[in-house]
Amino acid sequence: MDIGAELKGKVGPLPLYWWLLIMTAVAGGAWLLLKKKKGSTGQTGTPGTPCTMGDGSAGTWDSTGTVCQATTVSTVNSFAGTGGGRGWRGQSTTATGTSTPAATAAASTPAATAATTPPAGNPITTGTGTGNPNSGNWSFPAPQVKVTGASKTSTQLKISWTPVKGPGGQSPASYTVEIRRGGQLIRQNAVPGTSYTESGLSKGTTGLTINVWANGGPLAPTHGTATT
């Protein structure tokens, strides 16, 4: 058989070998199109891993793992090089800036706390109390007591006294008023002010001893006394 003559034989308007060339070209184009489509959408992979694109070039799977996309090549302008030449395309690594953390502020040192030392000295004796006001060894002074309205027939007695202060200016919490007849206790009351009226006495208001002292100091105070 003469193959050359067969190929040159016409099939329709064209020789047979022309039909073979056309069919080969069409089949090849269809194969490339199918391969490209399959490479870009028909395959899957792990996001960020290398893949081959439909045109045969290298790529990387996108974040969904369904699209093989071109790998981005980072370029940087560089003026460094041999002899000062300019190389505008750097290697395919992205330049990473290094941030230097701000210097940590020096730790502040708190100022030394001054020790509080009570003033030293000998116990104080003044007209406003006795003892050291910064310790527990002081007491209130005795108030001056005044009594009015005393009589043999009266049952009421009015008592008043001067206010007192401790050696450091301390004020008493209250005053105690004590009424005695012949050494026997008749009445004892705490009074917030500096006066007191007793109206429940019998047998008159004479022959009484009235003692008054300030309350609240650490040591027992001396008392002021008046008699009727």
Side-chain angles (χ1 to χ4, degrees), residues 80-155:
T82 305
R86 176 180 296 183
W88 67 271
R89 181 178 296 274
Q91 298 182 7
S92 60
T93 55
T94 304
T96 303
T98 302
S99 60
T100 303
T104 304
S108 59
T109 302
T113 304
T116 303
T117 303
N122 296 325
I124 301 170
T125 302
T126 68
T128 56
T130 59
N132 188 337
N134 298 298
S135 67
N137 65 350
W138 63 271
S139 64
F140 285 109
Q144 297 179 4
V145 183
K146 181 180 178 181
V147 178
T148 58
S151 71
K152 292 182 180 181
T153 59
S154 174
T155 59

Short mmCIF file of all heavy atoms in Angstrom, two decimals, residues 80-155:
data_model
loop_
_atom_site.label_atom_id
_atom_site.label_comp_id
_atom_site.label_asym_id
_atom_site.label_seq_id
_atom_site.Cartn_x
_atom_site.Cartn_y
_atom_site.Cartn_z
N ALA A 80 22.06 48.68 47.47
CA ALA A 80 23.31 48.02 47.83
C ALA A 80 23.71 47.07 46.72
O ALA A 80 22.90 46.43 46.10
CB ALA A 80 23.12 47.25 49.14
N GLY A 81 24.97 46.91 46.49
CA GLY A 81 25.46 46.00 45.47
C GLY A 81 26.92 46.26 45.21
O GLY A 81 27.51 47.22 45.69
N THR A 82 27.49 45.41 44.42
CA THR A 82 28.89 45.55 44.11
C THR A 82 29.11 46.80 43.28
O THR A 82 28.46 47.01 42.27
CB THR A 82 29.39 44.31 43.34
OG1 THR A 82 29.09 43.16 44.11
CG2 THR A 82 30.88 44.40 43.08
N GLY A 83 30.02 47.62 43.75
CA GLY A 83 30.35 48.83 42.99
C GLY A 83 29.24 49.86 43.04
O GLY A 83 29.24 50.79 42.23
N GLY A 84 28.28 49.75 43.97
CA GLY A 84 27.23 50.75 44.09
C GLY A 84 26.16 50.63 43.05
O GLY A 84 25.36 51.55 42.87
N GLY A 85 26.08 49.52 42.32
CA GLY A 85 25.05 49.35 41.32
C GLY A 85 23.69 49.19 41.94
O GLY A 85 23.56 48.80 43.09
N ARG A 86 22.62 49.49 41.20
CA ARG A 86 21.25 49.38 41.70
C ARG A 86 20.65 48.07 41.25
O ARG A 86 20.50 47.82 40.08
CB ARG A 86 20.41 50.55 41.21
CG ARG A 86 18.95 50.44 41.61
CD ARG A 86 18.14 51.60 41.12
NE ARG A 86 18.60 52.83 41.74
CZ ARG A 86 18.01 54.01 41.53
NH1 ARG A 86 16.98 54.09 40.70
NH2 ARG A 86 18.45 55.10 42.12
N GLY A 87 20.26 47.25 42.22
CA GLY A 87 19.52 46.03 41.91
C GLY A 87 18.11 46.19 42.41
O GLY A 87 17.88 46.09 43.61
N TRP A 88 17.14 46.46 41.54
CA TRP A 88 15.78 46.79 41.99
C TRP A 88 14.97 45.59 42.38
O TRP A 88 14.00 45.69 43.07
CB TRP A 88 15.03 47.60 40.93
CG TRP A 88 14.74 46.83 39.67
CD1 TRP A 88 15.53 46.73 38.59
CD2 TRP A 88 13.57 46.07 39.40
NE1 TRP A 88 14.93 45.95 37.64
CE2 TRP A 88 13.72 45.53 38.10
CE3 TRP A 88 12.40 45.80 40.10
CZ2 TRP A 88 12.75 44.75 37.52
CZ3 TRP A 88 11.45 45.01 39.51
CH2 TRP A 88 11.63 44.49 38.22
N ARG A 89 15.36 44.40 41.93
CA ARG A 89 14.62 43.20 42.30
C ARG A 89 15.44 42.41 43.31
O ARG A 89 16.51 41.93 43.01
CB ARG A 89 14.29 42.35 41.08
CG ARG A 89 13.47 41.09 41.43
CD ARG A 89 13.12 40.30 40.20
NE ARG A 89 12.25 41.06 39.33
CZ ARG A 89 10.93 41.10 39.45
NH1 ARG A 89 10.34 40.43 40.41
NH2 ARG A 89 10.19 41.81 38.62
N GLY A 90 14.89 42.24 44.50
CA GLY A 90 15.58 41.47 45.52
C GLY A 90 15.17 40.02 45.44
O GLY A 90 14.44 39.59 44.55
N GLN A 91 15.62 39.28 46.39
CA GLN A 91 15.23 37.88 46.42
C GLN A 91 13.78 37.76 46.85
O GLN A 91 13.19 38.69 47.38
CB GLN A 91 16.13 37.12 47.40
CG GLN A 91 17.61 37.14 46.97
CD GLN A 91 18.47 36.35 47.91
OE1 GLN A 91 17.94 35.70 48.79
NE2 GLN A 91 19.77 36.41 47.72
N SER A 92 13.24 36.56 46.63
CA SER A 92 11.80 36.36 46.86
C SER A 92 11.50 36.14 48.33
O SER A 92 10.87 35.18 48.72
CB SER A 92 11.31 35.15 46.05
OG SER A 92 12.02 34.00 46.45
N THR A 93 12.00 37.02 49.15
CA THR A 93 11.64 37.01 50.57
C THR A 93 11.22 38.40 50.95
O THR A 93 11.85 39.38 50.52
CB THR A 93 12.84 36.58 51.45
OG1 THR A 93 13.94 37.43 51.17
CG2 THR A 93 13.23 35.14 51.18
N THR A 94 10.18 38.50 51.71
CA THR A 94 9.66 39.80 52.10
C THR A 94 10.50 40.36 53.23
O THR A 94 10.73 39.70 54.23
CB THR A 94 8.20 39.67 52.57
OG1 THR A 94 7.44 39.07 51.52
CG2 THR A 94 7.63 41.04 52.93
N ALA A 95 10.97 41.59 53.06
CA ALA A 95 11.78 42.22 54.09
C ALA A 95 10.93 42.46 55.33
O ALA A 95 9.84 42.98 55.24
CB ALA A 95 12.35 43.55 53.60
N THR A 96 11.44 42.08 56.47
CA THR A 96 10.70 42.23 57.72
C THR A 96 11.38 43.26 58.60
O THR A 96 12.55 43.11 58.93
CB THR A 96 10.64 40.89 58.49
OG1 THR A 96 10.05 39.91 57.64
CG2 THR A 96 9.83 41.03 59.77
N GLY A 97 10.64 44.30 58.96
CA GLY A 97 11.21 45.34 59.82
C GLY A 97 11.28 44.84 61.25
O GLY A 97 10.41 44.14 61.73
N THR A 98 12.35 45.18 61.91
CA THR A 98 12.51 44.78 63.31
C THR A 98 12.20 45.96 64.20
O THR A 98 12.83 47.00 64.09
CB THR A 98 13.96 44.32 63.58
OG1 THR A 98 14.26 43.24 62.69
CG2 THR A 98 14.13 43.88 65.03
N SER A 99 11.19 45.81 65.02
CA SER A 99 10.82 46.90 65.91
C SER A 99 11.52 46.72 67.24
O SER A 99 11.53 45.64 67.80
CB SER A 99 9.30 46.93 66.12
OG SER A 99 8.88 45.72 66.70
N THR A 100 12.15 47.79 67.68
CA THR A 100 12.84 47.75 68.97
C THR A 100 11.91 48.24 70.04
O THR A 100 11.41 49.35 69.96
CB THR A 100 14.09 48.65 68.92
OG1 THR A 100 14.93 48.20 67.85
CG2 THR A 100 14.86 48.58 70.25
N PRO A 101 11.59 47.44 71.05
CA PRO A 101 10.67 47.90 72.10
C PRO A 101 11.23 49.09 72.84
O PRO A 101 12.44 49.22 73.01
CB PRO A 101 10.55 46.67 73.03
CG PRO A 101 11.78 45.87 72.76
CD PRO A 101 12.13 46.11 71.31
N ALA A 102 10.33 49.97 73.23
CA ALA A 102 10.76 51.15 73.96
C ALA A 102 11.41 50.74 75.26
O ALA A 102 11.03 49.76 75.88
CB ALA A 102 9.56 52.06 74.24
N ALA A 103 12.40 51.50 75.62
CA ALA A 103 13.09 51.19 76.86
C ALA A 103 12.14 51.26 78.03
O ALA A 103 11.34 52.16 78.13
CB ALA A 103 14.25 52.17 77.06
N THR A 104 12.19 50.24 78.84
CA THR A 104 11.31 50.23 80.01
C THR A 104 11.73 51.31 80.98
O THR A 104 12.89 51.47 81.28
CB THR A 104 11.40 48.87 80.71
OG1 THR A 104 11.07 47.84 79.76
CG2 THR A 104 10.43 48.80 81.89
N ALA A 105 10.74 52.06 81.41
CA ALA A 105 11.03 53.15 82.34
C ALA A 105 11.62 52.57 83.61
O ALA A 105 11.22 51.51 84.08
CB ALA A 105 9.76 53.94 82.66
N ALA A 106 12.60 53.26 84.10
CA ALA A 106 13.23 52.80 85.33
C ALA A 106 12.22 52.75 86.45
O ALA A 106 11.37 53.62 86.58
CB ALA A 106 14.38 53.75 85.72
N ALA A 107 12.30 51.70 87.22
CA ALA A 107 11.36 51.56 88.33
C ALA A 107 11.56 52.69 89.31
O ALA A 107 12.68 53.02 89.68
CB ALA A 107 11.57 50.20 89.03
N SER A 108 10.44 53.30 89.66
CA SER A 108 10.54 54.41 90.59
C SER A 108 10.69 53.87 92.00
O SER A 108 10.01 52.94 92.40
CB SER A 108 9.30 55.30 90.50
OG SER A 108 8.15 54.53 90.78
N THR A 109 11.61 54.44 92.70
CA THR A 109 11.86 54.02 94.07
C THR A 109 11.08 54.92 95.01
O THR A 109 11.26 56.14 94.98
CB THR A 109 13.35 54.11 94.40
OG1 THR A 109 14.07 53.28 93.47
CG2 THR A 109 13.63 53.63 95.83
N PRO A 110 10.15 54.36 95.77
CA PRO A 110 9.37 55.22 96.66
C PRO A 110 10.26 55.88 97.68
O PRO A 110 11.26 55.32 98.12
CB PRO A 110 8.38 54.24 97.32
CG PRO A 110 9.04 52.91 97.20
CD PRO A 110 9.83 52.95 95.91
N ALA A 111 9.89 57.08 98.01
CA ALA A 111 10.65 57.81 99.01
C ALA A 111 10.57 57.10 100.34
O ALA A 111 9.56 56.50 100.69
CB ALA A 111 10.12 59.24 99.14
N ALA A 112 11.65 57.12 101.05
CA ALA A 112 11.67 56.46 102.34
C ALA A 112 10.68 57.11 103.27
O ALA A 112 10.55 58.33 103.33
CB ALA A 112 13.09 56.54 102.93
N THR A 113 9.91 56.29 103.93
CA THR A 113 8.90 56.80 104.85
C THR A 113 9.56 57.17 106.16
O THR A 113 10.25 56.37 106.77
CB THR A 113 7.82 55.74 105.11
OG1 THR A 113 7.26 55.34 103.86
CG2 THR A 113 6.74 56.27 106.02
N ALA A 114 9.36 58.41 106.53
CA ALA A 114 9.97 58.87 107.77
C ALA A 114 9.29 58.20 108.95
O ALA A 114 8.08 58.07 109.00
CB ALA A 114 9.86 60.39 107.87
N ALA A 115 10.10 57.74 109.87
CA ALA A 115 9.54 57.10 111.05
C ALA A 115 8.93 58.17 111.95
O ALA A 115 9.52 59.22 112.17
CB ALA A 115 10.65 56.34 111.80
N THR A 116 7.74 57.89 112.42
CA THR A 116 7.07 58.84 113.32
C THR A 116 7.46 58.50 114.75
O THR A 116 7.09 57.45 115.26
CB THR A 116 5.55 58.76 113.15
OG1 THR A 116 5.23 59.01 111.78
CG2 THR A 116 4.85 59.79 114.02
N THR A 117 8.22 59.38 115.35
CA THR A 117 8.68 59.16 116.71
C THR A 117 8.03 60.18 117.62
O THR A 117 8.12 61.39 117.37
CB THR A 117 10.21 59.32 116.81
OG1 THR A 117 10.82 58.41 115.88
CG2 THR A 117 10.71 59.04 118.22
N PRO A 118 7.30 59.76 118.65
CA PRO A 118 6.68 60.73 119.54
C PRO A 118 7.74 61.56 120.24
O PRO A 118 8.83 61.07 120.52
CB PRO A 118 5.89 59.85 120.52
CG PRO A 118 6.55 58.52 120.47
CD PRO A 118 7.06 58.38 119.07
N PRO A 119 7.45 62.80 120.44
CA PRO A 119 8.46 63.65 121.08
C PRO A 119 8.84 63.11 122.45
O PRO A 119 7.99 62.70 123.24
CB PRO A 119 7.75 65.01 121.19
CG PRO A 119 6.29 64.70 121.08
CD PRO A 119 6.19 63.51 120.20
N ALA A 120 10.12 63.07 122.65
CA ALA A 120 10.61 62.55 123.91
C ALA A 120 10.67 63.68 124.94
O ALA A 120 10.76 64.85 124.59
CB ALA A 120 11.99 61.91 123.72
N GLY A 121 10.66 63.32 126.17
CA GLY A 121 10.76 64.34 127.22
C GLY A 121 10.24 63.80 128.54
O GLY A 121 9.67 62.71 128.61
N ASN A 122 10.45 64.56 129.53
CA ASN A 122 9.98 64.18 130.86
C ASN A 122 8.47 64.36 130.95
O ASN A 122 7.89 65.14 130.19
CB ASN A 122 10.68 65.02 131.92
CG ASN A 122 12.18 64.76 131.94
OD1 ASN A 122 12.61 63.62 131.70
ND2 ASN A 122 12.97 65.78 132.20
N PRO A 123 7.80 63.66 131.87
CA PRO A 123 6.36 63.87 132.04
C PRO A 123 6.05 65.34 132.28
O PRO A 123 6.78 66.05 132.97
CB PRO A 123 6.03 63.01 133.27
CG PRO A 123 7.07 61.95 133.25
CD PRO A 123 8.32 62.61 132.74
N ILE A 124 4.95 65.77 131.66
CA ILE A 124 4.58 67.18 131.71
C ILE A 124 3.59 67.41 132.84
O ILE A 124 2.65 66.65 133.02
CB ILE A 124 3.94 67.61 130.37
CG1 ILE A 124 4.94 67.35 129.23
CG2 ILE A 124 3.52 69.06 130.40
CD1 ILE A 124 4.35 67.51 127.87
N THR A 125 3.80 68.45 133.58
CA THR A 125 2.86 68.83 134.63
C THR A 125 2.42 70.26 134.36
O THR A 125 3.23 71.19 134.42
CB THR A 125 3.51 68.74 136.02
OG1 THR A 125 3.97 67.41 136.24
CG2 THR A 125 2.52 69.12 137.11
N THR A 126 1.18 70.44 133.99
CA THR A 126 0.65 71.77 133.68
C THR A 126 -0.69 71.95 134.36
O THR A 126 -1.20 71.04 135.01
CB THR A 126 0.48 71.93 132.15
OG1 THR A 126 -0.57 71.07 131.73
CG2 THR A 126 1.74 71.61 131.39
N GLY A 127 -1.28 73.10 134.13
CA GLY A 127 -2.59 73.36 134.69
C GLY A 127 -3.70 72.69 133.91
O GLY A 127 -4.87 72.82 134.27
N THR A 128 -3.38 72.00 132.82
CA THR A 128 -4.40 71.32 132.01
C THR A 128 -4.17 69.82 131.99
O THR A 128 -4.33 69.17 130.97
CB THR A 128 -4.38 71.86 130.57
OG1 THR A 128 -3.05 71.70 130.03
CG2 THR A 128 -4.74 73.33 130.51
N GLY A 129 -3.76 69.27 133.08
CA GLY A 129 -3.57 67.82 133.15
C GLY A 129 -2.16 67.47 133.51
O GLY A 129 -1.25 68.29 133.43
N THR A 130 -1.97 66.23 133.91
CA THR A 130 -0.64 65.77 134.30
C THR A 130 -0.26 64.55 133.48
O THR A 130 -1.12 63.78 133.04
CB THR A 130 -0.61 65.40 135.79
OG1 THR A 130 -1.57 64.37 136.04
CG2 THR A 130 -0.93 66.61 136.66
N GLY A 131 1.07 64.37 133.27
CA GLY A 131 1.57 63.21 132.54
C GLY A 131 2.02 63.56 131.13
O GLY A 131 1.93 64.71 130.69
N ASN A 132 2.55 62.58 130.43
CA ASN A 132 3.02 62.75 129.06
C ASN A 132 1.85 62.54 128.10
O ASN A 132 1.28 61.45 128.05
CB ASN A 132 4.13 61.73 128.77
CG ASN A 132 4.81 61.97 127.43
OD1 ASN A 132 4.24 62.60 126.54
ND2 ASN A 132 6.03 61.48 127.30
N PRO A 133 1.47 63.55 127.31
CA PRO A 133 0.29 63.40 126.43
C PRO A 133 0.48 62.38 125.33
O PRO A 133 -0.49 61.94 124.71
CB PRO A 133 0.11 64.81 125.87
CG PRO A 133 1.47 65.43 125.92
CD PRO A 133 2.11 64.87 127.16
N ASN A 134 1.72 61.97 125.02
CA ASN A 134 1.97 61.01 123.95
C ASN A 134 2.13 59.58 124.47
O ASN A 134 2.53 58.70 123.73
CB ASN A 134 3.24 61.42 123.18
CG ASN A 134 3.10 62.77 122.53
OD1 ASN A 134 2.25 62.97 121.68
ND2 ASN A 134 3.92 63.73 122.96
N SER A 135 1.84 59.37 125.72
CA SER A 135 1.93 58.02 126.28
C SER A 135 0.66 57.73 127.07
O SER A 135 -0.30 58.49 127.04
CB SER A 135 3.17 57.91 127.18
OG SER A 135 3.02 58.74 128.32
N GLY A 136 0.66 56.65 127.78
CA GLY A 136 -0.54 56.27 128.54
C GLY A 136 -0.44 56.61 130.01
O GLY A 136 -1.09 55.98 130.83
N ASN A 137 0.37 57.60 130.37
CA ASN A 137 0.55 57.89 131.80
C ASN A 137 0.10 59.30 132.16
O ASN A 137 0.72 59.98 132.96
CB ASN A 137 2.02 57.70 132.22
CG ASN A 137 2.95 58.70 131.53
OD1 ASN A 137 2.53 59.40 130.61
ND2 ASN A 137 4.20 58.75 131.97
N TRP A 138 -1.01 59.75 131.55
CA TRP A 138 -1.50 61.09 131.87
C TRP A 138 -2.92 60.99 132.45
O TRP A 138 -3.59 59.98 132.31
CB TRP A 138 -1.50 61.99 130.63
CG TRP A 138 -2.40 61.53 129.52
CD1 TRP A 138 -2.07 60.69 128.52
CD2 TRP A 138 -3.76 61.89 129.34
NE1 TRP A 138 -3.16 60.48 127.69
CE2 TRP A 138 -4.22 61.22 128.16
CE3 TRP A 138 -4.67 62.70 130.02
CZ2 TRP A 138 -5.51 61.33 127.69
CZ3 TRP A 138 -5.96 62.82 129.53
CH2 TRP A 138 -6.38 62.14 128.37
N SER A 139 -3.37 62.07 133.04
CA SER A 139 -4.71 62.10 133.64
C SER A 139 -5.26 63.52 133.54
O SER A 139 -4.51 64.49 133.38
CB SER A 139 -4.67 61.65 135.09
OG SER A 139 -3.90 62.56 135.88
N PHE A 140 -6.58 63.63 133.65
CA PHE A 140 -7.24 64.94 133.66
C PHE A 140 -7.06 65.60 135.02
O PHE A 140 -7.03 64.92 136.05
CB PHE A 140 -8.74 64.80 133.35
CG PHE A 140 -9.05 64.51 131.91
CD1 PHE A 140 -9.51 63.26 131.53
CD2 PHE A 140 -8.90 65.49 130.94
CE1 PHE A 140 -9.82 63.00 130.22
CE2 PHE A 140 -9.19 65.24 129.62
CZ PHE A 140 -9.65 63.99 129.24
N PRO A 141 -6.99 66.92 135.06
CA PRO A 141 -6.89 67.62 136.36
C PRO A 141 -8.25 67.69 137.04
O PRO A 141 -9.28 67.37 136.43
CB PRO A 141 -6.39 69.01 135.97
CG PRO A 141 -6.96 69.22 134.60
CD PRO A 141 -6.92 67.87 133.94
N ALA A 142 -8.26 68.10 138.26
CA ALA A 142 -9.51 68.22 139.02
C ALA A 142 -10.22 69.52 138.65
O ALA A 142 -9.60 70.59 138.59
CB ALA A 142 -9.22 68.22 140.51
N PRO A 143 -11.54 69.46 138.36
CA PRO A 143 -12.28 70.69 138.08
C PRO A 143 -12.59 71.45 139.38
O PRO A 143 -12.55 70.89 140.47
CB PRO A 143 -13.56 70.18 137.42
CG PRO A 143 -13.76 68.83 138.01
CD PRO A 143 -12.40 68.26 138.24
N GLN A 144 -12.88 72.71 139.23
CA GLN A 144 -13.31 73.53 140.37
C GLN A 144 -14.83 73.43 140.46
O GLN A 144 -15.54 73.75 139.51
CB GLN A 144 -12.86 74.98 140.19
CG GLN A 144 -11.35 75.14 140.16
CD GLN A 144 -10.93 76.60 139.95
OE1 GLN A 144 -11.78 77.50 139.90
NE2 GLN A 144 -9.63 76.80 139.85
N VAL A 145 -15.35 73.02 141.61
CA VAL A 145 -16.77 72.71 141.79
C VAL A 145 -17.45 73.84 142.59
O VAL A 145 -16.90 74.35 143.58
CB VAL A 145 -16.96 71.38 142.52
CG1 VAL A 145 -18.45 71.03 142.63
CG2 VAL A 145 -16.21 70.27 141.79
N LYS A 146 -18.67 74.19 142.14
CA LYS A 146 -19.48 75.21 142.81
C LYS A 146 -20.88 74.66 143.04
O LYS A 146 -21.48 74.08 142.14
CB LYS A 146 -19.54 76.47 141.94
CG LYS A 146 -20.35 77.60 142.57
CD LYS A 146 -20.37 78.82 141.64
CE LYS A 146 -21.21 79.95 142.22
NZ LYS A 146 -21.25 81.13 141.30
N VAL A 147 -21.43 74.88 144.27
CA VAL A 147 -22.75 74.38 144.62
C VAL A 147 -23.62 75.57 145.05
O VAL A 147 -23.19 76.41 145.85
CB VAL A 147 -22.68 73.36 145.77
CG1 VAL A 147 -24.09 72.88 146.15
CG2 VAL A 147 -21.80 72.19 145.38
N THR A 148 -24.86 75.64 144.54
CA THR A 148 -25.80 76.69 144.92
C THR A 148 -27.15 76.07 145.26
O THR A 148 -27.48 74.98 144.78
CB THR A 148 -25.99 77.70 143.77
OG1 THR A 148 -26.45 77.02 142.61
CG2 THR A 148 -24.69 78.43 143.46
N GLY A 149 -27.91 76.80 146.13
CA GLY A 149 -29.26 76.36 146.48
C GLY A 149 -29.34 75.44 147.66
O GLY A 149 -30.39 74.84 147.92
N ALA A 150 -28.25 75.28 148.41
CA ALA A 150 -28.27 74.38 149.56
C ALA A 150 -28.99 75.03 150.75
O ALA A 150 -28.79 76.20 151.05
CB ALA A 150 -26.85 74.01 149.95
N SER A 151 -29.85 74.25 151.38
CA SER A 151 -30.54 74.71 152.60
C SER A 151 -31.04 73.49 153.36
O SER A 151 -31.08 72.38 152.82
CB SER A 151 -31.70 75.65 152.26
OG SER A 151 -32.75 74.94 151.65
N LYS A 152 -31.46 73.72 154.59
CA LYS A 152 -31.93 72.61 155.42
C LYS A 152 -33.29 72.10 154.99
O LYS A 152 -33.67 70.97 155.34
CB LYS A 152 -31.97 73.05 156.87
CG LYS A 152 -30.60 73.30 157.47
CD LYS A 152 -30.72 73.69 158.93
CE LYS A 152 -29.33 73.93 159.54
NZ LYS A 152 -29.41 74.28 160.99
N THR A 153 -34.04 72.91 154.26
CA THR A 153 -35.39 72.49 153.86
C THR A 153 -35.50 72.18 152.36
O THR A 153 -36.49 71.61 151.92
CB THR A 153 -36.38 73.61 154.20
OG1 THR A 153 -36.01 74.82 153.52
CG2 THR A 153 -36.42 73.86 155.70
N SER A 154 -34.48 72.52 151.60
CA SER A 154 -34.55 72.33 150.14
C SER A 154 -34.26 70.87 149.79
O SER A 154 -33.50 70.18 150.47
CB SER A 154 -33.54 73.25 149.45
OG SER A 154 -33.50 72.96 148.06
N THR A 155 -34.86 70.43 148.72
CA THR A 155 -34.57 69.08 148.17
C THR A 155 -33.87 69.17 146.82
O THR A 155 -33.69 68.16 146.14
CB THR A 155 -35.89 68.29 147.99
OG1 THR A 155 -36.75 69.00 147.11
CG2 THR A 155 -36.55 68.08 149.35
#
